[in-house]
Amino acid sequence: MLSVKKITLDYELSLSGVDNFPVIGWEIASDQQSVKQICYQLQVSHDKYFDVILFDSGLINSDASANVNINDILLHPSTRYFVRVRINDNHGEESPWSAVAEFITGMMDTPWSGDFISAENSADKDNSKVTLVRKPFSLNKGSAVASAYLHVSALGLYQFYLNGQKVGDDVLTPGWTSYHHHLLYQTYDLSEQLQRDDNVIGAELAAGWFKGDMGFTRDRNYYGEQTALICQLVIHYQDGTQQIVVTDDSWHGEDSPILFSEIYDGEICDASLEREGWNNTGYDASYWRPVSLIPYDKKVLTAQSACKVKKIAALEPVAIITTAQGDTVIDFGQNLSGWVEFKVSGKLGDKVILRHFETLDAEGNVYLDNLRSAKQRVEYVLKGDAEEVYHPQFTYQGFRYVKVESYPGKILPENFKALVLHSDMAHTGHFNCSNEDLNQLHHNILWGLKGNFVDVPTDCPQRDERLGWTGDAQIFCRTASYLMHTRNFFAKWLRDLRHDQTPEGGVPHVVPDILTGHCANDINLAAGGTHSAAAWADAAVINPWTMYLMYGDTRILENQYQSMKGWVDFMLTHSENLIWRYKLQFGDWVALDAKEGSYFGATPTDLVCTAYFAHSTELFSRAAKALNRTEDFERYSALHQQIVQRFQDEFFTPSGRLAARTQTAHILALYFNLVPEPFRERTVNTLVELLREHDGHLVTGFVGTPYFCHALSQNGREKEAWELLLKEDFPSWLYQVKAGATTIWEHWDGLKPDGTMWSADMNSFNHYAYGAVGEWLYRSVAGIEADVDEPGFKHVIIEPTIGGGLSFVDATYQSIYGEIAVGWKVLDERVTLNVTVPHNTHATIKLSSLGELLSAQDVDFKQQGTSGVANVGSGNYTVEYLRA
Ligand code: BGC
């Protein structure tokens, strides 16, 4: 039977706060094979029963079941809409109407009637206290409430309350953006929560990223000096009238019992100062002070419909340890980002003090040094109730361990929980195989993602940094997008990237950019500037392109088009005869072939810069093609050819030796297709030689590592790629696993074989960058590969790389069309391959090392030598063969 399994809006199941009609997609279910959609019909209504139809597409002959746009419907602000679809397929079946998807519009073009209001004054500039603001109001008499939508944002962080209850389950709102250009507001449905007569709304406000103490140079007030709230509560009554409650000078403010809260340093709360019931009716706030109005450009406010930070999971302690030095430490068994929630009983004035950290030192003692100046400290002063429960709210910590510096009573595991925070994204990738270490590596990569996708893709979540380093986000983008649904996460961040670009198209090292103008104390940045490093700045092109590849999303290419072009043009402008470099370059950052004590790997800067210049130019030309911008396509694809030629002239000797004899130089040349065809074999051989010189180990940094396995396996060296992946001694991915890592480390030698550590000045144990090998697990080991010509996995290329001595691999990727599954089993030389291809897509299955085909029902393989190729429609397939 044909049905629509799931309908999505902007790739989510529901949205709250949109300014434009979302793109629509749906997943098809059927018990048939080779299902193709022939036509669809979409309807939009204000009510979930579709009594009144606002829009009906009629039957549209189309096979599009993703990225479908409806343009001819006029949306109204603060309004709920429902969408449903039905389809017909190539087997003559017709689906019933799908379940409904729904969304609420944001403010759209409605002006904000209220102002930003603050309970702070100019003397609070350097203050990290939390303040409260509140306002009682009554509903209009007469008619009942039909709907009530709240639009709210803040300068700083906020938590909003209605009649004593927190509104929504988002945390760290409104998130971190390039606030001067782009400040998100959130939209919540309060229709059911308003009381008939009197109501109170209020908020807590904290410094957060807006005015807090941020960056490794520990500056503050990057965007402003006072926290402030803005909101607009739009109440529609059933008689058609409307009431609007906004932030204005009728609100009152007061200090909160949270005396201090900062992203890096943690939180101090004195519960004895709690103003019980402050956010509810019946509270006497006559002593509160009037708020002040803060001038701020309201035009920068934009709706955030999804992908907000939430409490995603709670972990129990795995052990409570007493260290050699006598400290009591709670071990949560997993490096993560979030909060510790604790229960405590004691007397008024008793304290709980927690220090959060990542790892124990070689003697098993508390190790805080790699946090640098970040305190990661939470202090709670008890009010003396029977049982008090607390977690911080306007900070977050990166930790596995917690040192309990003070706690009244016995420290019992049941009184502590680690709340895992990250941006709310659906899990899309699953990987399981017969090698447990590889499974743990996959786990560590996933947790690296979780720990660092806290609203912004950060380099690390624990030390005084946690910045949106563009290079890290670039190299990890594809891996992240196999693991989780990153589209809306990256769309938000890329918007900031384009806002923060220099007028000339230069791309900041970190986005949101808080380094420019704030790094006099950093020798490298002060001298070399804060933008435009190869591999870092290329996030401007590679990340939107990756979104296109993974989701078939042209909107992100449209939105980022000028930004992408700006970056390519920047490189062109700063190149000399198409070889470029510019001020500070990170090169093959933290590679092991760096000189003693240096972070900069041995691969020459101009080679790295020019390789990325070629790569980004090529991707940009493809983006131009995808958007039918023929002139740009022609211009930039010609430019790409010229850069490749220059690269070859400059870096290859006439006999085919790549001038820079480093692993990374060879990887880039191969993976970015910069090798003259006659020299390919020599280049691959030299790469293998360079591996052997290090006893099969990599010595690569941020630039070479992500593509190492690809560069080998795409050039017939699958065996070497597997060996590299499965290496267990230092330096290698599994070395970390064997050392007990639960996330990915910043350095191959973060923890050295002799138990000592890399210098504490830069030694994160939760840095996703080297987790970029994750894409090799999906794209090559499982072999779930996207096709540039039919992106978003409309056409799936399935080409598993069987090897590594594994007896089985099971991997799935939840594409926008549905689940793609690849499982392979090997027994002696007999391989069983199971494949699932989602409906309304098709796949090409490619087998290498094909000896004899044993069975392949419904799969028509064309065999040539030892390779086999078959095209299949949707469905489940099993192929059995003997390996050559
Ligand atoms: C960060 C890196 C980043 C690098 C750039 C470090 O401090 O943690 O991941 O990309 O600086 O130099």
Side-chain angles (χ1 to χ4, degrees), residues 459-460 463 465 469 472 536 586 589 702 746 762 767:
D459 56 334
C460 57
R463 67 180 180 223
E465 195 150 359
W469 282 97
D472 309 44
W536 272 249
F586 302 117
W589 186 246
F702 274 37
E746 180 171 23
M762 211 181 77
H767 233 74

Side-chain angles (χ1 to χ4, degrees), residues 265 328-330 340 352-358 366 368-369 371-379 397-406:
D265 286 342
T328 304
V329 166
I330 304 173
V340 171
V352 178
I353 301 176
L354 306 178
R355 295 294 302 271
H356 305 67
F357 64 101
E358 288 191 289
V366 174
L368 301 174
D369 296 0
L371 306 177
R372 302 196 305 219
S373 67
K375 292 200 182 69
Q376 296 225 107
R377 178 180 184 278
V378 169
E379 175 177 332
Q397 285 72 48
F399 65 100
R400 167 177 168 168
Y401 299 95
V402 173
K403 173 184 172 198
V404 185
E405 289 187 352
S406 171

Side-chain angles (χ1 to χ4, degrees), residues 432-436 439 805-810 823-826:
N432 185 34
C433 71
S434 56
N435 182 324
E436 278 312 320
N439 293 339
L806 270 60
S807 60
F808 77 88
V809 165
D810 277 318
W824 51 259
K825 264 196 307 239
V826 187

Side-chain angles (χ1 to χ4, degrees), residues 611-626:
Y612 266 95
F613 183 20
H615 186 53
S616 280
T617 305
E618 181 180 28
L619 297 186
F620 176 65
S621 74
R622 287 189 189 167
K625 187 173 174 204

